[in-house]
Amino acid sequence: MARRISIISLVILVVIQTAMANIPSANEFFKKNINGNLTKITWKHAVNSKPLLIEALASATMMLEADVVLGNLTNSNVTKIPIMAHPPNETSSLSLDEFLTFVLKNRTKGIKLDFKSIEAYTAGLQVLEKHTSNLTVPLWLNADILSGPVNASVNVNTKPVNAKQFLEDAKKTLPQSTLSVGWVTSYKANSTGNYTSAHIDEMLKTLKDSNVTQTVTYPVRAAFAINSIDTLKTLLEKSSNKSATLTIWSAEEDVVDGKKLSKLINEVGSKKVYVDVPEKVWKTLDLSKGGASYASSSIALSIISTLVVIFTTRML
């Protein structure tokens, strides 16, 4: 009887792994467009509503980032489900289920889901499981799982998502997704700070303790990352997964020194750095070692894109 149960369990495991085997990495999925240069991958940030989703699907943008919280759908009695919204918002015109349905039908965009709480993550994984057979595009699971700069544990109301549960549930449910794991940060006008050796040591230990073998990218805030070049290079060097990368991001209100950010990207290398920053920051970059330019990363919508908008609007 015990042997029979073991065989059944093995079969179930094989079925699950087979179903997940079609999730590509961003580098693989967009390889014809980027030729190994990750800075050429373009981003649409905070795709948290139906109008923004329509716009993003019609654009040349490669990766769509969206925030997931538990909340309510507008003009609906449906409550406390995974929706696309950024705290403190708890209502949205777009649910996670709808977001996935339309992005996966499009088949040309990668997905980065930023989970704002462990509760949203747990519920979100259940929604993702429904779409397993259609997951043929890059899928990133993002969360701030540790406290980072500057005095983030004191100054920020948002707490890190439970690291152990986040990592282990991802391994069980979506083992071929990319883990985007970072630090909660606190930023005020012209803040100065950096990622320290303690920050990266804690991250490496956290991943090791959960036996993480998935592809990993570390999201780092540009305003602090530019003061942490050697530390972040050490983070990548010490990562057990040698395909580990950085994802440099910046909020609209952040003040970022373009020369320092260019130096960081050029020193780490375009094969190791994704760049998700606002237009005003992009325009200050000089990626002379093969990185993308802002012009090449901001392709205007074509007539075809306009038709896609009309078609997608009708579908939504």
Side-chain angles (χ1 to χ4, degrees), residues 5-312:
I5 292 174
S6 297
I7 292 174
I8 293 173
S9 299
L10 180 60
V11 170
I12 292 173
L13 180 60
V14 170
V15 170
I16 292 173
Q17 290 179 334
T18 300
M20 298 310 302
N22 57 357
I23 303 179
S25 68
N27 192 10
E28 294 168 339
F29 190 73
F30 299 113
K31 62 182 178 182
K32 292 183 179 179
N33 303 93
I34 67 171
N35 193 30
N37 185 342
L38 302 184
T39 68
K40 290 185 177 181
I41 290 181
T42 53
W43 296 81
K44 186 70 174 178
H45 200 71
V47 186
N48 293 336
S49 69
K50 285 185 178 180
L52 290 176
L53 177 59
I54 292 169
E55 177 187 342
L57 291 175
S59 74
T61 302
M62 300 176 185
M63 291 289 293
L64 308 185
E65 187 271 354
D67 305 296
V68 185
V69 300
L70 285 183
N72 311 326
L73 278 178
T74 53
N75 302 318
S76 172
N77 293 325
V78 180
T79 61
K80 296 301 178 184
I81 63 169
I83 61 169
M84 316 315 290
H86 191 285
N89 294 331
E90 294 183 347
T91 61
S92 175
S93 61
L94 185 64
S95 69
L96 174 60
D97 189 40
E98 291 172 320
F99 177 91
L100 291 170
T101 296
F102 290 103
V103 176
L104 295 177
K105 281 184 179 179
N106 180 275
R107 297 185 180 182
T108 67
K109 315 294 185 187
I111 298 169
K112 177 180 177 180
L113 298 176
D114 186 359
F115 293 93
K116 297 303 184 181
S117 70
I118 199 64
E119 293 79 14
Y121 179 63
T122 300
L125 287 181
Q126 294 176 5
V127 176
L128 279 160
E129 283 187 287
K130 293 169 49 181
H131 294 271
T132 295
S133 62
N134 294 318
L135 286 172
T136 58
V137 300
L139 173 65
W140 290 18
L141 304 178
N142 181 85
D144 295 329
I145 62 173
L146 299 174
S147 182
V150 177
N151 294 323
S153 60
V154 176
N155 297 330
V156 177
N157 293 326
T158 303
K159 296 181 179 180
V161 170
N162 185 288
K164 182 178 178 64
Q165 185 175 344
F166 181 85
L167 297 172
E168 296 189 355
D169 285 358
K171 182 167 57 178
K172 293 175 184 177
T173 308
L174 293 165
Q176 295 211 0
S177 60
T178 293
L179 292 178
S180 175
V181 285
W183 298 260
V184 172
T185 57
S186 175
Y187 182 90
K188 294 181 180 180
N190 297 310
S191 286
T192 58
N194 63 289
Y195 292 92
T196 65
S197 295
H199 289 140
I200 70 165
D201 288 345
E202 184 181 12
M203 179 64 76
L204 292 170
K205 182 179 185 303
T206 299
L207 298 181
K208 182 179 180 181
D209 289 347
S210 289
N211 298 313
V212 171
T213 58
Q214 290 170 248
T215 300
V216 172
T217 188
Y218 304 104
V220 290
R221 196 166 192 162
F224 304 136
I226 59 177
N227 303 320
S228 318
I229 296 178
D230 290 339
T231 303
L232 294 177
K233 288 167 69 175
T234 299
L235 171 64
L236 294 179
E237 290 167 2
K238 288 187 174 182
S239 294
S240 58
N241 188 324
K242 296 310 174 184
S243 64
T245 58
L246 300 179
T247 299
I248 299 174
W249 65 275
S250 180
E252 284 288 345
E253 68 272 15
D254 293 6
V255 177
V256 179
D257 186 317
K259 289 184 178 180
K260 288 184 178 180
L261 182 54
S262 299
K263 180 181 179 182
L264 167 61
I265 297 168
N266 286 323
E267 284 200 18
V268 174
S270 61
K271 293 184 178 181
K272 285 287 189 177
V273 183
Y274 297 93
V275 183
D276 177 14
V277 296
E279 174 183 342
K280 65 180 182 180
V281 178
W282 255 116
K283 288 182 175 180
T284 67
L285 298 183
D286 176 15
L287 307 185
S288 56
K289 295 184 179 180
S293 66
Y294 175 72
S296 67
S297 299
S298 301
I299 304 172
L301 296 181
S302 64
I303 295 175
I304 294 177
S305 297
T306 303
L307 293 175
V308 173
V309 171
I310 297 171
F311 178 71
T312 309

